[in-house]
Amino acid sequence: MGKNIIIIGGGIVGLSAAYFLQKQGHQVTVMDKSDIASGASFVNAGYITPSHIIPLASPGKIAQGIKWMFDSSSPFYMKPRWDIDFFKWSWYFHRSSTIQKVEKAIPIIKDINLLSRGLFEEMKASGDMGDFHLERRGLLMLYQTEAAYDHEIEVAKKARSLGLEVSELNKSELEKIEPNVKINANGAIHYECDGHTTPNELMPKLLAHLKSVGAHILTNEEVLDLLLENDKIKRITTSKGNYDADEVVMAAGSWSGKLSKKLKVKLPLQPGKGYRINVHRPLGISMPAILMERNMAVTPMKGFTRFAGTMEFSGINNVVRKERVSAIANGAKTFYPEISITDEEIADAQTGMRPVSPDGLPYIGKSGKVKNLTFATGHAMMGWSLGPATGKLVAEIINEKKTSMDISALSPDRRF
């Protein structure tokens, strides 16, 4: 018999959970404080990235963040502020940034990314969302310096040892694979295992499909409180009413930590703000790329090219910092010298909050303190890539089935 399930959060993770849960016969309600037309699931680079095997929490990251702390245009920016939760998270991040912990995280990140890549393909083949943009052209890691090459070639060797398809391209080979745009780079590492999509196309189609199969979608409805009774969530109070549920899925992205506090559950989480610029004119770019020295992404999407990047830790806010957007535009010019992003395109930039755990791994699993609560958050920059896999795992957890992969390392109760 199907359960009454409420999913808090209507991003790619929440909608993916709804997609797989409704297929199992459950009555699903998705509630979101927005109109589900903006935020991290709409401003990301659209990557499906088995190649991103190194977690954000890696050796040297904190030192880099401190170095860039007073440069608000830097790719990895930590705004100086008095915030106890941020101090604790930073300490956990530091403790997680060891070679040993990174080595343990690598196969987990690879496995969940591969699971998700396969599910994206299954979702397209199902026809549930109609046709949507999904390509498997790989990802170019473009480099201009030997230092960037030396760093990435070590990652590439690791990826290759794990069975991922990766190759090297020199300057002439790069020109052949990307012939219609001038690129100022010495070469590229080509992760052929990766794919990409257009989030602004897929999200509305996924939302429309869920409505068509009977899922309840509650927009512009903020969760205000959660009532606990006998270690279970008895009632959810929103800005518009009260709701009961058999099971609750916490997929509220960067707001998951604050909501968890209402349940007396500690979930170390910080919002990492990212930005994007869309260019709706032909640029000649056909391959997704990471501009290594600029720490930014470029994706040819359906109808436009997206330039995205930065990781800004400044709390939950929607402020678009002009200097950070300008840094993305300037970074694009550095690698694509014949492309100039206009003032109008810069002015149209948007931002989204990505939920970042201290060790770079998502929180996926049942809460040890609240019996009917399942977490699905903390994906950092891989939220889009890992959305379908997380949704599938959530459905398996709630159905008490063997999960598609070992998720013990993703426990929301893990210690740092």
Side-chain angles (χ1 to χ4, degrees):
M1 184 175 176
K3 296 180 178 179
N4 175 26
I5 301 172
I6 288 180
I7 300 170
I8 303 175
I12 184 61
V13 172
L15 296 190
S16 294
Y19 177 80
F20 288 103
L21 283 166
Q22 62 84 23
K23 282 185 175 294
Q24 299 297 318
H26 300 294
Q27 178 56 60
V28 179
T29 298
V30 177
M31 53 178 59
D32 197 282
K33 66 198 294 291
S34 76
D35 58 358
I36 313 184
S38 62
S41 291
F42 288 83
V43 304
N44 63 83
Y47 290 160
I48 303 166
T49 52
S51 68
H52 281 28
I53 55 176
I54 307 299
L56 184 63
S58 55
K61 271 294 180 184
I62 284 290
Q64 188 179 58
I66 293 173
K67 177 183 176 182
W68 283 338
M69 185 174 284
F70 298 100
D71 179 3
S72 60
S73 66
S74 63
F76 186 78
Y77 176 57
M78 299 161 62
K79 181 181 179 181
R81 65 191 189 279
W82 184 265
D83 184 331
I84 297 299
D85 287 340
F86 181 63
F87 294 155
K88 288 180 180 178
W89 179 91
S90 298
W91 174 242
Y92 296 150
F93 187 98
H94 170 70
R95 291 183 58 173
S96 300
S97 300
T98 66
I99 293 174
Q100 295 81 4
K101 290 185 178 180
V102 168
E103 287 295 323
K104 287 183 179 179
I106 285 173
I108 300 165
I109 296 173
K110 182 209 71 168
D111 287 347
I112 191 169
N113 266 291
L114 287 177
L115 173 63
S116 214
R117 187 184 71 182
L119 291 170
F120 268 110
E121 293 167 353
E122 287 180 19
M123 289 166 76
K124 180 164 184 171
S126 73
D128 288 340
M129 276 72 74
D131 189 31
F132 62 85
H133 176 221
L134 175 64
E135 288 189 77
R136 178 90 170 273
R137 304 202 66 193
L139 176 67
L140 298 176
M141 301 294 290
L142 298 175
Y143 61 87
Q144 296 177 329
T145 62
E146 285 298 313
Y149 168 79
D150 290 343
H151 173 271
E152 195 58 37
I153 198 63
E154 292 304 312
V155 178
K157 289 176 182 176
K158 186 65 161 180
R160 193 178 289 117
S161 73
L162 294 170
L164 299 176
E165 304 92 347
V166 56
S167 59
E168 291 185 59
L169 301 176
N170 59 32
K171 201 160 189 172
S172 62
E173 290 169 330
L174 181 58
E175 289 175 358
K176 288 179 182 178
I177 201 171
E178 191 69 302
N180 298 318
V181 63
K182 184 176 180 180
I183 300 177
N184 179 25
N186 290 332
I189 306 297
H190 183 200
Y191 289 100
E192 300 160 41
C193 51
D194 288 10
H196 70 287
T197 60
T198 300
N200 299 53
E201 176 199 35
L202 181 53
M203 283 292 289
K205 289 189 173 185
L206 180 52
L207 200 58
H209 166 72
L210 289 171
K211 291 178 181 177
S212 73
V213 294
H216 298 148
I217 309 295
L218 308 178
T219 57
N220 300 306
E221 189 154 357
E222 183 177 3
V223 174
L224 302 177
D225 204 3
L226 301 114
L227 176 66
L228 271 177
E229 190 175 291
N230 297 322
D231 296 325
K232 285 188 173 184
I233 297 174
K234 175 66 176 176
R235 183 172 297 112
I236 297 174
T237 299
T238 74
S239 53
K240 295 182 179 179
N242 295 310
Y243 302 88
D244 298 333
D246 299 316
E247 296 282 345
V248 176
V249 178
M250 183 67 74
S254 294
W255 288 264
S256 300
K258 287 191 172 185
L259 290 174
S260 297
K261 282 185 177 182
K262 297 180 181 296
L263 299 167
K264 295 182 171 54
V265 173
K266 294 180 180 179
L267 192 75
L269 198 68
Q270 282 294 314
K273 189 195 292 184
Y275 296 80
R276 70 92 177 119
I277 300 171
N278 289 343
V279 176
H280 295 266
R281 52 192 164 90
L283 298 179
I285 297 173
S286 65
M287 297 286 293
I290 297 286
L291 314 184
M292 290 194 62
E293 285 83 356
R294 292 294 182 146
N295 285 279
M296 57 174 284
V298 181
T299 315
M301 295 186 178
K302 190 173 182 179
F304 60 93
T305 302
R306 174 166 291 177
F307 298 86
T310 83
M311 178 62 83
E312 174 186 326
F313 292 102
S314 59
I316 293 179
N317 65 82
N318 293 315
V319 177
V320 176
R321 299 177 71 104
K322 293 181 180 179
E323 67 272 23
R324 301 188 67 71
V325 179
S326 294
I328 293 174
N330 294 335
K333 184 74 171 178
T334 301
F335 276 81
Y336 302 96
E338 295 180 350
I339 293 176
S340 293
I341 296 176
T342 68
D343 291 341
E344 291 77 11
E345 289 160 345
I346 290 173
D348 187 51
Q350 291 186 3
T351 186
M353 310 301 302
R354 299 165 294 197
V356 185
S357 71
D359 60 2
L361 295 175
Y363 296 113
I364 304 174
K366 278 281 189 182
S367 167
K369 293 184 177 180
V370 183
K371 295 175 182 177
N372 63 341
L373 175 63
T374 301
F375 281 99
T377 188
H379 297 76
M381 295 177 291
M382 290 186 287
W384 183 262
S385 184
L386 301 183
T390 303
K392 176 80 167 177
L393 292 167
V394 165
E396 291 169 342
I397 291 165
I398 290 177
N399 289 327
E400 298 181 352
K401 293 182 177 179
K402 180 178 173 60
T403 52
S404 297
M405 60 174 284
D406 181 4
I407 60 170
S408 56
L410 310 180
S411 169
D413 299 321
R414 64 185 183 269
R415 293 186 178 183
F416 300 98

